Amino acid sequence: MLRTFGKTGLKIPPLVFGATTLGNLFREVSEQDKAEIVEQWLNCGYSPIFIDSAGKYGAGLSLEVIGRELRRLGVPPGSVLISNKLAWRRIPLTGSEPTFEPGAWFGLKHDAVQDISYDGILRCWEEGNHLLGNYPAQIVSVHDPDEYLAAATDAADRAQRFSDIVEAYRALGELKSAGTVSAVGVGAKNWRTIKELDRHCDLDWVMFANSFTVMHHPVELIEFMDSLADRSIGILNSALFHGGFLLGGNFFDYRAVDPQAPLDAQRIAWREEFERVCAELQRTPFEVGVAFGRSHPGITAIALSSSRGERVPLHVRAATEDLPKEVWAALKERQLISADLPFL
């Protein structure tokens, strides 16, 4: 069941447990529900279990909950792999809600600020390990470099920001050389930023978010994924449902949907047709979305987040379930997925 994670040499399961819910993404989650989610992770049958979090998730709340619950349950540090996507660290909350990703995070006691540079990424690394306690992250990356670059005011500012990111990777490379971490990668929503960084940084793995999904899978991205696989760079695929939108949610890529906006109206129409086809095939949108999200042969594992512990076994089953070719034929016929996908 374990798979080799690219050139890292690590053996990982096919499912990575995403920890956004532990940071109160989209709603405030009770401590009891969070404890149940972590307990279900530990009962999934994988060894080690792989948890993906970030300082951005609830301004460090996700990391804090992970460390607390693992300690409470007496989990040996060697039985868990933790990925911490670095770039954000805590600052005091001065308003009624945090300033990063407004409207997406609830019930927080801290705000977060981006801190990407050689020294900044080490500050994020140190804070993350402090929150995790006895479970330091072995797998690290620079989080949201695409957003950092997109905030540039002009070409000179972008060049400086890109230099900041490369310097952050120099720091992470030194941590790896010292044996402090096991693997260095990148996680981003804009896959083109990952491709740009791939030319300048020594990456062991990449994590795509909102990029390779049943709704969105451009041919240029697939070609890049082919290239990564050819070079033994591990691929994690996450955010398979565009922030829950494909499962009926009201957010698309962490932004509230406006049915009156033309683009959002098109997305809603696509979702409605997708739901109809899934019903005809007697498959759930979740099953189809997960199967597509893991379909490219270069993908080592998918990341799924659950807001309820009782759904974790369903995620575990979906992470290894192949669907019959009739499903993909129907989606192609209805022009919901590309007609030219050699792996489907």
Side-chain angles (χ1 to χ4, degrees), residues 114 116 142-152 158 161-166 169 185-203 205-209 211 216 218 220-221 224 228 231:
Q114 210 166 28
I116 297 178
V142 176
H143 195 195
D144 296 333
D146 47 346
E147 294 181 2
Y148 188 64
L149 292 172
R158 190 186 190 281
R161 287 170 177 262
F162 193 84
S163 176
D164 292 341
I165 295 169
V166 172
Y169 274 106
V186 59
K189 302 179 185 73
N190 186 338
W191 66 269
R192 295 183 185 278
T193 300
I194 295 177
K195 185 175 182 180
E196 184 178 7
L197 288 171
D198 178 50
R199 296 194 292 266
H200 294 84
C201 305
D202 184 15
L203 301 174
W205 60 275
V206 306
M207 173 178 270
F208 296 115
S211 297
H216 177 80
E220 298 88 353
L221 169 59
F224 178 47
L228 293 170
R231 291 177 285 136

Side-chain angles (χ1 to χ4, degrees), residues 8-337:
T8 68
L10 295 171
K11 300 293 186 179
I12 68 170
L15 176 61
V16 178
F17 295 115
T20 53
T21 295
L22 304 186
N24 292 345
L25 179 63
F26 301 142
R27 68 180 181 89
E28 189 169 356
V29 180
S30 72
E31 297 304 319
Q32 180 178 348
D33 286 346
K34 291 176 183 179
E36 183 182 351
I37 289 169
V38 177
E39 289 174 10
Q40 287 291 335
W41 291 349
L42 295 170
N43 292 331
C44 72
Y46 295 146
S47 182
I49 65 167
F50 189 158
I51 304 171
D52 175 67
S53 189
K56 189 179 188 181
Y57 295 169
L61 178 61
S62 174
L63 297 168
E64 191 172 14
V65 171
I66 290 168
R68 182 191 72 208
E69 291 302 311
L70 294 178
R71 286 192 300 274
R72 180 181 67 83
L73 296 166
V75 176
S79 66
V80 59
L81 285 172
I82 296 178
S83 166
N84 187 7
K85 301 191 292 293
L86 307 165
W88 296 80
R89 57 180 176 81
R90 282 181 168 179
I91 59 172
L93 180 65
T94 58
S96 59
E97 66 172 349
T99 57
F100 70 103
E101 289 184 335
W105 305 93
F106 293 84
L108 303 189
K109 298 179 180 179
H110 301 87
D111 205 342
V113 64
Q114 210 166 28
D115 196 5
I116 297 178
S117 65
Y118 179 93
D119 291 328
I121 218 70
L122 293 177
R123 285 190 288 267
C124 296
W125 156 251
E126 291 167 359
E127 177 179 275
N129 283 344
H130 173 73
L131 294 172
L132 288 165
N134 298 330
Y135 304 90
Q138 301 106 309
I139 300 169
V140 295
S141 60
V142 176
H143 195 195
D144 296 333
D146 47 346
E147 294 181 2
Y148 188 64
L149 292 172
T153 56
D154 54 32
D157 186 31
R158 190 186 190 281
Q160 179 58 58
R161 287 170 177 262
F162 193 84
S163 176
D164 292 341
I165 295 169
V166 172
E167 281 297 288
Y169 274 106
R170 183 167 69 88
L172 296 183
E174 290 174 1
L175 289 177
K176 182 185 173 186
S177 295
T180 308
V181 301
S182 301
V184 174
V186 59
K189 302 179 185 73
N190 186 338
W191 66 269
R192 295 183 185 278
T193 300
I194 295 177
K195 185 175 182 180
E196 184 178 7
L197 288 171
D198 178 50
R199 296 194 292 266
H200 294 84
C201 305
D202 184 15
L203 301 174
D204 298 313
W205 60 275
V206 306
M207 173 178 270
F208 296 115
N210 304 317
S211 297
F212 181 75
T213 73
V214 67
M215 186 185 204
H216 177 80
H217 42 274
V219 63
E220 298 88 353
L221 169 59
I222 294 172
E223 291 171 350
F224 178 47
M225 295 169 71
D226 293 341
S227 170
L228 293 170
D230 289 344
R231 291 177 285 136
S232 297
I233 296 176
I235 301 175
L236 303 178
N237 197 20
S238 68
L240 308 183
F241 302 100
H242 295 280
F245 176 77
L246 298 186
L247 302 179
N250 296 321
F251 286 81
F252 184 91
D253 294 354
Y254 309 103
R255 179 190 56 78
V257 172
D258 177 7
Q260 303 305 315
L263 183 55
D264 281 349
Q266 292 176 19
R267 289 166 174 158
I268 292 170
W270 188 98
R271 181 175 67 183
E272 291 172 346
E273 180 68 3
F274 178 59
E275 290 171 343
R276 280 192 289 271
V277 175
C278 289
E280 292 168 9
L281 295 167
Q282 297 185 318
R283 297 285 177 172
T284 67
F286 176 79
E287 291 173 322
V288 176
V290 169
F292 186 94
R294 50 181 286 269
S295 62
H296 188 282
I299 293 172
T300 313
I302 57 170
L304 294 173
S305 298
S306 177
S307 59
R308 302 197 306 274
E310 65 195 43
R311 292 186 59 83
V312 171
L314 173 64
H315 291 188
V316 173
R317 289 195 300 272
T320 56
E321 181 183 16
D322 293 322
L323 298 186
K325 60 184 180 181
E326 289 77 14
V327 170
W328 312 122
L331 291 173
K332 291 176 181 180
E333 182 180 352
R334 303 282 270 272
Q335 299 183 340
L336 289 168
I337 64 173

